[in-house]
Every structure is written in structure tokens, then in C-alpha cells.
Amino acid sequence: MTQTIEHEEVTIRRGPRSGLPLIIAVHSRALGPAVGGCRLRRYGSWREGLADALRLSEAMTFKCAASGLDFGGGKSVIALDEHSELTPELRAAALADMGDFIASFEGSYLAGPDVGTTPDDMVVLRRSSPYVFCLPEEHGGTGTSSTPTATGVLAALRAGTEHVFGSRSLTGRTVVVSGFGSVGSRVAAGLAADGARVLVSDVDTAKRETAVGAGFGWLEPHEVPGTRADVLVPAAIGGVLGPGTVARLDVRLVVGPANNQLTDDSTADLLAKQDIVWVPDFVASAGGVVFTLGRECDGCTQEEAVRRVLGIGDTVRLLLERSRTNGTTPLHEARALAERRLGPPATA
């Protein structure tokens, strides 16, 4: 595999207790210490875990920069083999290994929960390193970031709806939420409270009963791209928007918390050509990191941190206005906003 790496630091080691591949990728510290979640998931090989870490750490750089945060982008990955059984003993050993690994960065990389890890897991990491966020509230942290992430997505959705449809009201709008996890379910509930007709989908069909019981419509995953709706909310895995999928979309607006939604940046142009407004994921999904860093680093009150999260709506309005005025894509404007803060790239 040929991989172009434009990162400040990428370190790979094998956990001495767990024997699992551990990866920490730091994309940029231009604005401050790198911040990004610790991911624990199965991969076909450790190289797939590396590719995940590289993509996600870069996205964190742009997420922090576009949100006005004085932090850079990073990501840590515990790469579990597809065939290994994740026993409680192996999980504990892997987290202990990762805690030591994070500690070795001496505060230049800060971690929080991500796919496969929880606030309780952050307690384990904190035993080795103070540079860990989102511990449960009873342990002095802010707990799960799902609620502020969803709050930020809803702020972005309302701003996008106003831009596309002329009103921020979601009453009577049909919205498809693809991914009914901890963030997607909260977004769906917020949309329903705003008067939207909400259809949800998830690869885990066991969630159907919960979704229907909550009053949402249900779609099978393969039905999502071709469903006529006003808004699509990608709220699960990344890489869901490529040429084939975009050609089938029958929506006007795409806003969601899933990271790295586009298979390639050129997909942003395809969306624009179909008159679909796509709000860049690294802008829409920033609520969790904005809230957490506000509370745990800046000492903000709960109310002030929430106000910062709601400011994502203002950022989205600005980007969409510039996109319309300049005849560019929202992705172009979002990257330009981030790059103005990051400054010119370092030269060799």
C-alpha cells in the first residue's frame, strides 16, 4: 500500500501487555496540542487502522481550526484483529497499553472517547496519563460528548435549512437520519421536537423496534440513497458519499456528524452540480470537542460551553453565504477558513 503522510508525527507500537498494534497520529500542532479520540475497533490489518488514524487526525485539525479552537488534530487507534475475541482481560490490557502510549507524548496529544471506547474507558487511560478527557461526571469529567455533538449538528441543520429553504423551521420537512447510534438518535429526537418527519436507518436491525417505538419511520440501509427527502443526516460511518451514492440522492441538504463522509474531495463538486448543499462534516460535528475543551480546558460553565456549540450555526451560515457569493463549494470555504488560522504550511 502506498500512503502519502503529511503529518507531524505518526507512531506505531505493539502493546506490551495486549500484543495489539497501537497507533497515534498527530496531523498538526500548529494551533496547539493535538486532540482526538481513542478508537478501538476491528480492522483487516493494522495498516487499515493506520489509514483510519491518518484520515481522522487530519479531519480533527480542520475541525479545531474551523471552530476557532487553539488545538491541533490527532487520533489514537487500538487495532483489533478481525478474528480476535475482545475479552475483558484483553480490553483492560489494551487500554493500559494505550494509557502509557498517550503519556509518552507528554501533553502534546490529548485523547477522548471514540468508536469502541467510552467515558469509563477514559478512567483507565487516566491512570497512566493526565491528558485524557470526557471521564464520567462522577470522576470529574464531562462524560459522553454525544449530546453536545448532536446539539451542534442540530444548529448546523437549522442554519443549512434556512439557507436552502428560506426558513430555519423544520416543521413538515422530511429528514433521513442514517445511523441510529448515540449521536444519531439524539439528532433524530431533536428533529422530531422541531416538527420534522424523521426516517431513521441503521445496519443493526435490532434498533428498529426502538426507533419505531419512538415514533420514527424506518428504512433499510440500502433504501437510504434513493429515498426522497428534504435533508439527509449521515450519522454512522465515513466514506458514505461517493459518485454512485450521490447520483442516487434525492435531497436538497446533507448535514451530519459522521466523520470523513466523502470518499474523495471531488465528491463535493458532484453534490454542488446536483444542487445539493453539503455542510462539511468537520464543521457540523464539532460540538463535542467544542463543549469538552470549553469545559475541561477553558473552565467554561455548562451554559457558556453550550453557547459555544450553538455558534456552529453561525459558522455554517457564514460558510454557506460565502459559497453562494463566491460560486464555490462549502468544502472550499470551510477549508479556506481553517487554513487562514493554520497559516502557510511548513517548508522543508
Side-chain angles (χ1 to χ4, degrees):
M1 178 183 72
T2 300
Q3 182 81 46
T4 300
I5 300 177
E6 297 178 353
H7 289 59
E8 285 191 20
E9 185 175 1
V10 180
T11 309
I12 305 169
R13 66 166 61 164
R14 187 170 294 279
R17 303 173 185 84
S18 65
L20 294 176
L22 311 177
I23 302 160
I24 294 182
V26 172
H27 179 260
S28 172
R29 299 188 184 97
L31 297 175
V35 62
C38 174
R39 177 166 291 205
L40 169 59
R41 60 166 291 189
R42 298 182 184 277
Y43 295 96
S45 72
W46 66 266
R47 291 177 177 83
E48 292 182 10
L50 172 61
D52 219 9
L54 295 176
R55 287 192 299 266
L56 292 164
S57 59
E58 181 181 20
M60 282 301 301
T61 292
F62 285 99
K63 182 178 294 190
C64 290
S67 300
L69 300 173
D70 293 328
F71 290 86
K75 184 66 65 171
S76 52
V77 168
I78 302 170
L80 187 68
D81 182 86
E82 285 185 318
H83 306 293
S84 297
E85 180 185 359
L86 184 60
T87 63
E89 294 76 17
L90 181 59
R91 184 184 189 89
L95 290 169
D97 288 339
M98 181 56 80
D100 290 344
F101 197 8
I102 293 168
S104 72
F105 279 72
E106 300 181 336
S108 67
Y109 165 66
L110 315 172
D114 198 86
V115 172
T117 60
T118 67
D120 287 334
D121 293 325
M122 299 304 102
V123 176
V124 180
L125 297 181
R126 179 65 73 84
R127 293 170 188 160
S128 301
S129 172
Y131 308 112
V132 179
F133 296 141
C134 293
L135 277 70
E137 292 184 25
E138 60 269 26
H139 288 274
T142 52
T144 178
S145 61
S146 296
T147 296
T149 299
T151 298
V153 172
L154 288 166
L157 273 162
R158 294 175 187 124
T161 299
E162 182 177 20
H163 178 85
V164 173
F165 302 108
S167 168
R168 70 194 304 268
S169 173
L170 286 155
T171 300
R173 299 288 177 195
T174 298
V175 184
V176 175
V177 179
S178 180
F180 197 61
S182 58
V183 177
S185 59
R186 287 172 168 83
V187 172
L191 289 165
D194 280 357
R197 173 178 175 255
V198 182
L199 308 175
V200 303
S201 178
D202 199 282
V203 294
D204 183 359
T205 56
K207 294 179 180 179
R208 176 172 184 164
E209 184 176 352
T210 301
V212 173
F216 306 128
W218 179 266
L219 294 171
E220 295 301 323
H222 70 272
E223 298 176 309
V224 169
T227 297
R228 176 174 291 183
D230 296 298
V231 185
L232 171 64
V233 179
I237 60 171
V240 294
L241 297 175
T245 301
V246 169
R248 297 176 58 201
L249 291 182
D250 193 1
V251 299
R252 294 283 310 283
L253 175 65
V254 179
V255 187
N259 291 311
N260 297 324
Q261 294 169 20
L262 306 185
T263 57
D264 184 89
D265 284 356
S266 63
T267 305
D269 298 308
L270 296 178
L271 287 160
K273 287 177 182 177
Q274 289 190 205
D275 199 26
I276 299 172
V277 172
W278 177 70
V279 174
D281 41 32
F282 59 84
V283 175
S285 65
V289 69
V290 169
F291 180 87
T292 299
L293 295 176
R295 293 280 282 140
E296 299 198 27
C297 288
D298 294 344
C300 291
T301 64
Q302 176 92 5
E303 293 74 18
E304 173 59 26
V306 170
R307 280 196 293 271
R308 290 187 181 188
V309 172
L310 293 174
I312 290 172
D314 297 328
T315 301
V316 170
R317 276 187 285 274
L318 173 66
L319 295 175
L320 296 184
E321 288 169 5
R322 286 179 175 173
S323 172
R324 176 177 285 168
T325 299
N326 298 332
T328 57
T329 66
L331 176 61
H332 173 87
E333 296 299 337
R335 283 192 174 274
L337 174 65
E339 286 166 356
R340 280 193 290 273
R341 293 201 68 227
L342 290 167
T347 56

